[in-house]
Amino acid sequence: MNNSKSTPTHVAIIMDGNGRWAQLHGKERYEGHIAGVEAVRASIKAAVRNGVKYLTLYAFSTENWGRPDTEVSALMELFCKCVIGETPDLVKQGVKVRIIGRRDRFSDKVAEHLNRIEQQTAEGDKLTLVLAFDYSSRDEITTAVRHLAQSAAKGELHADDIDERCVANALYTAGIPDPDFIVRTSGECRLSNFLLWQASYAEMYFPQVLWPDFTQEEFDKALEEFAGRNRRYGKL
Ligand code: IPE
Ligand code: IPE
Ligand code: MG
């Protein structure tokens, strides 16, 4: 395990390219998502091995509801299958799962699986795996602003006391340190509504590899890239 300063505490990944991977292999899009599960396993293993403490995976954006029903259903079904299949291994590896995003638009079955994976992995102390599911950063910030305004209206909070820490604590990611390193696979160079507040000083990396081809070696390569970065935070 490497806990040197050059290892990021928090790695966040936009897992992109499943559809293109499927197309490249003459398969249906949902088969690309299924193939992507192996890359999730590899990333978790590599994160634990490297001493990364938080791994956030962008699994489903609020905008992804706009995809065809068949694809959305396949993704929800895959998520439930993974919760059942992967939970024992996550527990063994000391992984604690936390879900960020809206919770009010899932079917009862999916909501139940979300709760189940959080409860069953609650004791994990090696790695916190943050799954962004029905997540969008603008929705997160808007929800936080609404809650702060409600607290102020009730007299629990003075507007003058609202500082950056207060805002951060009202986000879904409360208590989770900001990502040091954001990786997006498939060569797309955009954030697509992911961790906009939290990404203020994150290093970014956009490898060409499609998500299903992202292996432990690719994860290690990404960490090598991070280790070569010079973070200045606006200073000299
Ligand atoms: C990422 O792969 C997975 C999700 C968004 C759920 P895509 O499905 O976006 O794959 P491409 O971008 O079409 O290749
Ligand atoms: C971002 O990927 C969302 C996830 C990886 C879950 P998309 O494929 O949905 O993003 P755009 O549409 O290319 O920006
Ligand atoms: Mg995509």
Side-chain angles (χ1 to χ4, degrees):
M1 186 189 284
N2 173 8
N3 273 324
S4 74
K5 247 173 126 184
S6 58
T7 302
T9 300
H10 183 174
V11 176
I13 305 181
I14 302 171
M15 310 184 286
D16 201 13
N18 295 351
R20 278 161 284 169
W21 183 93
Q23 194 177 30
L24 207 66
H25 292 80
K27 295 175 191 278
E28 299 291 333
R29 287 184 59 87
Y30 77 90
E31 296 179 277
H33 299 312
I34 292 171
V37 175
E38 194 50 46
V40 172
R41 289 191 195 107
S43 299
I44 294 168
K45 286 208 175 81
V48 171
R49 172 168 52 74
N50 282 285
V52 169
K53 301 309 283 179
Y54 296 85
L55 174 66
T56 297
L57 299 178
Y58 201 4
F60 193 83
S61 75
T62 57
E63 288 79 19
N64 289 150
W65 289 110
R67 293 190 180 195
D69 288 350
T70 48
E71 181 164 348
V72 171
S73 303
L75 282 165
M76 295 299 150
E77 198 50 47
L78 181 61
F79 176 78
C80 293
K81 255 197 193 147
C82 285
V83 168
I84 294 165
E86 306 294 325
T87 300
D89 221 42
L90 294 176
V91 171
K92 237 183 263 168
Q93 292 181 86
V95 177
K96 173 195 195 134
V97 175
R98 178 159 157 191
I99 316 279
I100 57 168
R102 292 179 59 155
R103 292 284 184 112
D104 58 326
R105 301 197 285 187
F106 295 118
S107 67
D108 289 348
K109 180 181 165 190
V110 173
E112 188 191 305
H113 281 75
L114 290 169
N115 291 335
R116 189 195 297 194
I117 197 168
E118 282 187 318
Q119 279 165 13
Q120 294 185 349
T121 63
E123 302 302 317
D125 60 359
K126 288 265 187 311
L127 172 77
T128 300
L129 174 64
V130 184
L131 295 179
F133 208 58
D134 197 4
Y135 175 86
S136 107
S137 199
R138 286 190 171 187
D139 168 70
E140 175 182 45
I141 293 167
T142 305
T143 302
V145 169
R146 192 184 310 120
H147 286 154
L148 292 175
Q150 283 163 347
S151 297
K154 282 193 244 161
E156 297 164 357
L157 179 71
H158 290 290
D160 288 343
D161 291 335
I162 297 175
D163 56 10
E164 288 190 11
R165 186 197 293 225
C166 195
V167 175
N169 284 336
L171 299 174
Y172 296 135
T173 51
I176 298 170
D178 285 344
D180 303 288
F181 194 34
I182 294 180
V183 177
R184 181 173 188 149
T185 57
S186 83
E188 306 291 356
C189 302
R190 58 178 171 271
L191 288 174
S192 303
N193 223 342
F194 187 50
L195 302 179
L196 302 182
W197 167 280
Q198 299 87 338
S200 295
Y201 272 100
E203 294 295 324
M204 309 220 181
Y205 176 53
F206 303 104
Q208 291 297 320
V209 59
L210 301 173
W211 179 248
D213 292 329
F214 196 80
T215 55
Q216 289 204 48
E217 289 71 31
E218 292 287 345
F219 193 99
D220 291 349
K221 207 158 84 182
L223 291 194
E224 270 172 43
E225 172 69 30
F226 177 83
R229 301 288 178 91
N230 178 13
R231 304 178 81 188
R232 287 189 289 275
Y233 300 97
K235 305 188 176 87
L236 295 180

